[in-house]
Amino acid sequence: MKQGVAPDELTRPFWEAANAGRLVIQRCAACDRLQHPPSRRCGECRADTALEWRQMSGRGVIQNYAVVHDSPVRLLQADQPFNVAVIALEEDSDIQMYSHLPGTPVDEVPLGAAVEVIFEATANGQRVPEWRVVGAEA
Amino acid sequence: MKAHNAPAAMFRANEGMGLWEHRGKVAAVGIGHSPTARRWDGQPETSVGAISLLALRRAIEDAGVDPAAIDGLVLDPTTTTGAHWPKGRPVPAEMLNAFAATDDPLDGLAQLSAPWVLKNMPELSGVKFAMHGDGCMTRAICVAAQAVGDGLAHTCLVLKAWHNYAGRYGQGGASAGDALPGNVAIRALWGTPVCYGTALQFAEYCRKYGKRHEMMAPFMENSRRNGLLFPEGYWAQHRPEEITAEDYNAARWIAKPANLLDNDLPIMAAAAYLFTTADRARHMRQKPVYILGHASSRTRTRSMTATLDEVEADTARTARKLYEGAGISAADVSFENMYDGFTLFHQFHIEGLGYRGLKFGEALDFYQTDISIAGPNPVQPSGGNIGCGRTRFWMHTDCIQQLQGRAGRRQVTGVKPEVAVSGGPMPMGGDFMVWSATPG
Ligand SMILES: [Zn+2]
């Protein structure tokens, strides 16, 4: 099971949206540019005034992956080995999120496959965006 | 004396800056290393503070200078990447008794500061310039080279040290907790070990260029072989074990395709150098090794982990900056000592440099040829972190020693050592040096 989350000021909208079943990503309105992980400033224009949260479609593709056999995180060690994939979002393929790809067998990750967002509970009940291969069994 | 972090302006992070204004005017004239250990045994005399003082004194002695004549000190205050002193654990009384303290009780125990060093080395009575180059030995070297060139100091010590405690590296702190702060959780909830990003990039590299993990084996064998010829190194001192292809291919996965041996071993060690002006260097004991240039990468990854495209664009950019500043081309490089902790990114560094004409995707085939210190194409004659333990400084010591002709049994014999490159840590995000046997 994933560790719990204590939302901080910067990322609270991301976590609150996840609890409501929505995926939101930070966007700089001045540059019309998405960024993830969230930051206090736009990575392009460095402005801190034009950042907003934009809802995503929840669709993406699997860009890359590695298989974790030795995690530093105690709560995940019972699940080893496990996939950690990189998901590229449909809205901007340069924006990435990590995923354990629930339902996908270890080291049998279909690169390039379409995925859709789901929301999974962590140790303290906070929900977190996860990704499932489209058409795979739940 | 207070010491601040080096300002961004001291680093050459942009293209088009032309020749380094102090090219060939700053030289390394002394090297000092402490003994190595796997972990701290709790004694003051083996603490990270003590081994730092030892390395500094050895560098001064090696250069044959009067400590009172030294006017600069640059060090990296951070002495670990994953072995943290637990919050609230008291500082051992033995440590408090053994050293002059600063206002931060963790100095000398779990970190360093220039004031701590100066308090505990009263012989450094002439230091007027002290600065921190936080992150790596290479960063501290850039700062010291720039400081000497700029005239902020004429004779400057550079120090990097590492501590390591009992327990598994990186598993304390947040990793052991039940909840993470939101900003940390965005990346850390997936439980990836530190080598994960490099593993991703290597996986992409293998797919793009049709390479396999097993093709790294000759690099591993060569690195450890060279490291066992480095008497200052951990493996030579404590575990003189070669790595065979069988060992490498049988090692357990950490984040497949990165295995245990692709990760360097955390150790305790300290190294120091003495830099001075080229004019002063001529009258000192050791043959000077001149700095032709330094360059830095401060490129930000667009999202979670740099893609192969981002890495390759940045290593090529770093090479252009480095060669432009030093006034050389890839053809001038006698040998390379780019960083290797993790092994699976060494090829990004040397392909970006175009070492021996390498293009992207060619390094693993290059590793199947003669890359030994006896051949015409030495790869990492230092042995790097794989050959000597995690410090990020073997590469620099080796460049200096090779160009001085005092690398001992590790001395390269297949090439004339004239110009060498070293640096890191990451292919995307690091600092890099060009060293030369002559002022250029
Ligand atoms: Zn912007």
Side-chain angles (χ1 to χ4, degrees), chain A residues 28 30-31 33 42-47:
Chain A
C28 175
C31 302
R33 179 180 183 275
C42 169
E44 187 71 21
C45 71
R46 308 304 295 158

Side-chain angles (χ1 to χ4, degrees), chain B residues 52-95:
Chain B
S52 296
L53 303 179
L54 181 60
L56 288 164
R57 287 181 171 128
R58 285 180 174 179
I60 297 167
E61 190 186 328
D62 187 51
V65 304
D66 175 1
I70 292 165
D71 66 346
L73 171 64
V74 177
L75 58 81
D76 180 354
T78 304
T79 56
T80 187
T81 54
H84 302 288
W85 189 257
K87 269 202 174 73
R89 178 183 291 181
V91 173
E94 298 83 1
M95 284 296 292

Side-chain angles (χ1 to χ4, degrees), chain A residues 42-86:
Chain A
C42 169
E44 187 71 21
C45 71
R46 308 304 295 158
D48 59 357
T49 51
L51 294 171
E52 58 182 31
W53 294 89
R54 166 94 28 131
Q55 182 160 345
M56 299 289 112
S57 65
R59 289 188 292 271
V61 297
I62 302 174
Q63 185 185 73
N64 201 352
Y65 80 101
V67 181
V68 172
H69 290 249
D70 194 341
S71 170
V73 174
R74 182 175 50 80
L75 281 179
L76 289 171
Q77 286 167 355
D79 301 326
Q80 291 171 179
F82 53 83
N83 297 319
V84 183
V86 179

